Every structure is written in structure tokens, then in C-alpha cells.
Amino acid sequence: MEKLSEKNLSRRTFVVGGAAAAAAASLALAGCSGGGETKSEGQGGGDAAPAEGGALTAACGYSSTNVDPVDLNGGSALMLAATMHVFEGLYDLDLHTYETYPALAAGDPTPVSDTEYEITLREGATFSDGTAVTADDVVNAFELNMAAGTIGPFLTFIAGVAKKDDATVTITLNYPFESLLKARLSLVKVFPASLSEDDRKKMPIGSGPWKYVSINGDDGGIIEFAPNENYNGSKAATADSMSWNVLLDDTARTTALQEGSVQVMENVPAVNEEQLLGAGASVEFVQGFSQAFLMFNCQKAPFNDKRVRQAFFYAIDIDKMISNSLAGKAAKVTGYLNEDHPNYHEASTVYTYDPEKAKELLAEAGVTELNFTLDVNNNWVADLAPQIKEDFDALGIGECTINELKIDWASYAPSDTELSYDVMLTPGDPTCFGNDPDLLMNWWYGDNVWTEGRSCWQKAGDGKWEELQGLMQQAREATGDEQQELWNQCFDIIAEEAPIYALFHRQTGTGWQESMITGFEPIGTTGLIFLGASATA
């Protein structure tokens, strides 16, 4: 689908050097944060030549011990990025542009009918242990992933995957899915069918340009990679080694990049931008879909009334929040997708700061007093909670109590028991899996744990969830303008019902030392991508 392959990122530049760098450093000491520029560059080095070999180094802002490529590591931000270097799908996704390209596949799928395709494997594709990639490996990977909990719901369009011969697989669909096919197939990463589950969880092997040497994804640990000498694809490793340091503490990552002990830093806090610029680093904030969102317990009164949910979004001063808590590094929500997404549509309901409107909606819903608890995940969104409480309390109809905790998502399984929580504040960004509207909607609003065991919107009983599912299915089978119009109707329902809805779309910050690395480019979602990057001489 052409629209989904367009790159539309706004990137402006200002250069800090010499006296300006010194001024930036003094501002950092004074606690000042950077402005709203999308990209800020340090003191040169971007034209340095690649080294012969060399080492790539990074400071990562997320931790995980789930290395199993099945189910894309359960959605782990750290290991999903690592998986993209070690494994290949039939097609892979460039997270800079969201374009797909053939990886294990030799070319595009060959249509047999509207619901059947044949895909030939790349000649000579080999796992890092020297064994050939076969159709049996592909079939096994698809069967395991289709039964998995995280990405299985994204693969329900597939009726089955079968071996035609050693180098060809046949994919049979439940319905036509041409416009989204290659991007969705990229979710399944292939590994030897001979690997046991225990092998996959300890030291899995793939056919990608890199292979694991050692894996410690805990905070303070290191993941080490080496080139896959058997790789024959288009993304060959361009360094002799790669090491990812897992540093959850913002100060530790900032110090590592500032001192040059790593070349790239993930998840740059906006308040540290000037400090890094003063050290000669480059910092880029890429606008994407990433968000903090409110989720309501749609089984529990009065949050089962959409007017109550809407009132929250009118009660919160988002401009103030973006300015004060995010240093301007976010965009207001005017539709389900961020405005620079190629399939953006302005929703029929756009929330603005309007306390009187909030009070009117609550009155219409028969709510004269509302005291509630806001469960807040104990990560970066915790800084947003005090303003939400302040804005809601200012309505004068009740009090918000903040409950900061580490959200245990495993406890939110589908159940007949009504959940006890009221409202939740937590972050999310499924664009690490892909960027097509169907995937992004299906993540939070599909027939899955989010609607059945978290927001419980599926159990609301007003027919709106069912209406959305019908429109989403029609859009999956449509193409072009018809597909976009169906998606627009979906976006309008989501904005109006707001069982889970974003407060803003956040920019993702990345820092790097251009004098130490070349060919590296940040992405607008979690994770770091080093395909094509080299250490400099």
C-alpha cells in the first residue's frame, strides 16, 4: 500500500558549537531543558569515514530477559530491537520509513488467488550455525507465532502456512489481505525448527546479519553480538562487534554518551538535551505514535459512560502538560494517528482544554460527585499525574487520588470478575511492530486482552465495540480510498468512545556521537537500529 510507505518526518536542525556549546552546558547546570526543535546536532564528525571493523556500542533504556523470538519477545522494547538484528522474517520492516523489503523471501509474494500466495526463499539463506534455512523452518515459526498471545491476534488473516518444496511456502488466507500482507508477515521471525523452547529462551540463533555472543538483558547487563559470517542478505554487519549496555537510569545513560563510552543512547530525557549538546553529541527527537494514555474500567460505573470518559480529556490542559512535563517534545492529539502519519484523519471528536465542557458532560451523565483513584505506571508517565490530579480537582466535583505502582499486566487476564481499578495512566507504542492503521487499532481495541481483561470495553454491552470490529474487518479486505474511509470511521468511533485514548503523541529522543559512528539514524519508536551503521576511523 503506497500510503504506508511514505516517509513524513519533520526534522529541523540547529547547530551548537564553540561559545554556544559552553552556553548550553551552563544552561544544563542551571536545570534548563531544550526547546522544541526536532533535531539538534553537536560538534561535527558526521562525515568521518567508517572504520575497518570496529565496535558498535549503545546504552539502552529498557530491560528484558525474554530472548525468545517467538511472539516477538512478548513485545519487549529491548529484545524486540535485538531480534531485528539477529533474525529475519520473510519480509522485514525498515522502522525509519515503515517500508517493507524482502529478507528471507527472494522477492514479492506470487499470487495464486486472492487468498493464496507462494513465497520463494532467498537462495543460500543460512542460519548462523551454518545450516540452511528451509520451508520447514518457516512453517514452524508461523505455526508457533499464530498460536502466541502478543502477535497471534495480528495474524488471524492467515488460514495456514504449508511447505510446497524445500525453498517455497504457500500461505493461505481467510480473506483478501493484499494491501497489508508483506508488512504483517514481517512480524514472524524465522529460526531453526530444531531449536527447543529452552534453546530459544537461552541462546536462539537466526539468519540475520548479527548473532548473539552473550545475553544479559537485566539492568546493568550487556548484550553482545558478533557478525553472522554465513549471512548473504542485503543488510550485512558493518562492524566486528556490537555491545548494548542496559542502563535504565537516565543519568547513567547520559553520562555514558557524554563521556563517549557508548556511541548511541536510547530514550534521551528532554531535560538532558542541552547537557549532551554541550558534550558535542547530536540529539534527535522523532515524532511518532508513542503516547501516554488513559484507560478506563468500562465495566465500572460511572466510567462505563462515554460522557464521563470524554470529560477527562476536556478537563486536562494538554498544552500545559506538553510544555511543562515534556519540554515541548510531543504533539496534541487530533485523531487516533499522529498528524504526520500517512493515514492520518482528524477525528470527529477533538478534545481541547475546556473545564466547563467537562462539567457539562459529567452533569449529563448524572455525576454530581466523582472521587476516583488514578493508577499510574511507575515510569516516565508518573511525572504527568500531579497535573492530571490538579486539573481534575479544579472542576470542584470530587478528588483524584494518585496510586503509583508497577503495573502487573499479567494480572489483567480476561475474567468474569469485575476489575477494581478506576482509571489508569500508562505509556504505549505498538509501532515497534508496524505502522499500519489496522495493527495500531487492533493492539488496543481488537478481540484481545485489552478489550476483554483491561479496559473491558468488549463487555460494555452498548454495541460500539462490535461496530468497530465490523468496520475494521471491512477495511482489512478493502484497498485504496475505500479502505481509508473505513479506517476514518474507525478513528471517529475510538475518539468518541475513548475507552483507551492518548493524551498526546510523544517524540522519541535518541543521542549519538557523530564523531564515533556513521550510518546511524534514530527511529520514532522504542529501540535502536544499527543495520548499516559503522564505527568511524
Side-chain angles (χ1 to χ4, degrees):
M1 179 178 174
E2 185 175 354
K3 279 191 173 183
L4 287 171
S5 68
E6 294 172 3
K7 184 175 182 181
N8 187 14
L9 300 177
S10 171
R11 293 178 175 174
R12 295 168 300 187
T13 301
F14 76 80
V15 178
V16 177
S26 65
L27 282 173
L29 292 173
C32 297
S33 64
E37 299 293 334
T38 305
K39 180 176 180 180
S40 309
E41 291 185 351
Q43 298 178 10
D47 296 327
E52 290 293 330
L56 297 172
T57 56
C60 299
Y62 301 91
S63 65
S64 177
T65 57
N66 185 354
V67 303
D68 189 348
V70 172
D71 212 23
L72 282 180
N73 322 102
S76 155
L78 173 69
M79 294 311 306
L80 195 154
T83 291
M84 291 181 177
H85 294 77
V86 175
F87 300 88
E88 297 178 283
L90 291 171
Y91 301 92
D92 281 342
L93 200 62
D94 184 339
L95 290 183
H96 302 92
T97 64
Y98 287 99
E99 294 178 346
T100 55
Y101 59 90
L104 280 175
D108 286 342
T110 300
V112 178
S113 70
D114 286 348
T115 56
E116 186 176 342
Y117 293 83
E118 292 180 354
I119 300 176
T120 301
L121 302 183
R122 184 179 75 231
E123 185 176 354
T126 307
F127 293 115
S128 59
D129 66 350
T131 59
V133 180
T134 69
D136 290 323
D137 300 312
V138 176
V139 171
N140 175 68
F142 269 90
E143 289 178 345
L144 289 174
N145 277 278
M146 288 166 64
T150 301
I151 68 169
F154 296 147
L155 302 172
T156 55
F157 66 94
I158 299 176
V161 180
K163 171 184 176 180
K164 180 181 180 183
D165 55 48
D166 283 346
T168 311
V169 293
T170 299
I171 298 180
T172 306
L173 310 183
N174 287 312
Y175 45 82
F177 199 66
E178 180 182 5
S179 67
L180 303 174
L181 181 62
K182 288 191 294 183
R184 201 60 61 85
L185 294 178
S186 72
L187 290 172
V188 176
K189 304 305 178 186
V190 179
F191 47 86
S194 59
L195 284 189
S196 68
E197 183 177 0
D198 191 54
D199 291 334
R200 296 197 319 265
K201 290 182 176 180
K202 290 182 178 178
M203 186 66 73
I205 62 173
S207 61
W210 292 90
K211 62 182 179 181
Y212 290 122
V213 174
S214 64
I215 308 171
N216 181 354
D218 290 320
D219 187 17
I222 299 176
I223 303 175
E224 295 183 284
F225 307 79
N228 173 9
E229 59 271 21
N230 296 305
Y231 177 73
N232 72 337
S234 62
K235 304 286 184 181
T238 50
D240 286 341
S241 65
M242 182 165 64
S243 298
W244 292 6
N245 299 267
V246 181
L247 301 172
L248 301 188
D249 181 71
D250 290 346
T251 301
R253 292 197 314 282
T254 301
T255 299
L257 181 63
Q258 188 175 8
E259 295 178 348
S261 59
V262 299
Q263 297 153 341
V264 180
M265 168 192 173
E266 182 178 27
N267 201 13
V268 175
V271 295
N272 291 350
E273 179 182 13
E274 301 294 350
Q275 180 182 351
L276 290 170
L277 293 174
S282 293
V283 178
E284 184 167 349
F285 288 85
V286 180
Q287 182 63 62
F289 185 73
S290 175
Q291 58 191 255
F293 62 85
L294 292 179
M295 179 170 71
F296 300 88
N297 185 349
C298 296
Q299 278 186 301
K300 186 176 183 180
F303 310 106
N304 57 347
D305 190 319
K306 70 179 180 182
R307 293 169 295 186
V308 174
R309 302 193 293 265
Q310 291 173 346
F312 277 78
F313 294 96
Y314 285 113
I316 301 169
D317 188 344
I318 297 299
D319 285 328
K320 178 181 175 182
M321 180 176 287
I322 291 174
S323 176
N324 292 353
S325 298
L326 296 151
K329 309 295 189 185
K332 294 178 66 173
V333 172
T334 57
Y336 182 62
L337 303 176
N338 44 296
E339 290 189 9
D340 49 5
H341 191 289
N343 297 98
Y344 168 78
H345 161 73
E346 182 176 313
S348 56
T349 304
V350 177
Y351 297 101
T352 57
Y353 179 50
D354 190 342
E356 292 305 314
K357 176 72 170 177
K359 288 188 281 188
E360 289 173 11
L361 285 166
L362 291 169
E364 289 175 14
V367 177
T368 57
E369 183 176 6
L370 180 55
N371 298 306
F372 70 96
T373 299
L374 178 68
D375 285 352
V376 181
N377 218 335
N378 66 341
N379 48 38
W380 63 269
V381 298
D383 292 339
L384 310 176
Q387 186 195 318
I388 294 176
K389 172 178 170 56
E390 178 184 335
D391 288 347
F392 184 86
D393 290 355
L395 296 179
I397 63 163
E399 183 177 3
C400 166
T401 300
I402 296 172
N403 178 33
E404 184 177 329
L405 73 163
K406 180 175 177 58
I407 303 296
D408 177 17
W409 292 116
S411 66
Y412 289 86
S415 170
D416 293 334
T417 304
E418 183 177 301
L419 297 177
S420 60
Y421 87 96
D422 296 330
V423 185
M424 186 181 296
L425 171 66
T426 190
D429 184 8
T431 56
C432 53
F433 300 112
N435 203 36
D436 72 77
D438 178 70
L439 184 151
L440 298 182
M441 288 188 289
N442 194 36
W443 177 254
W444 279 309
Y445 311 105
D447 186 6
N448 58 36
V449 68
W450 284 100
T451 58
E452 192 177 352
R454 294 176 182 171
S455 72
C456 300
W457 187 37
Q458 188 177 149
K459 303 175 182 179
D462 59 4
K464 284 297 183 179
W465 179 81
E466 290 80 4
E467 181 182 352
L468 178 66
Q469 303 313 300
L471 289 168
M472 287 173 63
Q473 183 58 40
Q474 291 178 53
R476 292 181 189 117
E477 301 181 43
T479 58
D481 291 342
E482 180 188 0
Q483 185 179 60
Q484 182 67 53
E485 177 52 38
L486 288 163
W487 279 337
N488 293 348
Q489 295 178 52
C490 295
F491 302 150
D492 288 346
I493 290 174
I494 290 168
E496 182 179 356
E497 296 296 318
I500 297 173
Y501 206 60
L503 294 170
F504 49 76
H505 293 294
R506 184 192 188 206
Q507 297 176 13
T508 299
T510 305
W512 72 104
Q513 292 283 3
E514 282 194 287
S515 61
M516 299 172 65
I517 189 170
T518 187
F520 173 81
E521 187 177 358
I523 58 177
T525 186
T526 55
L528 297 170
I529 302 297
F530 288 91
L531 301 177
S534 304
T536 56

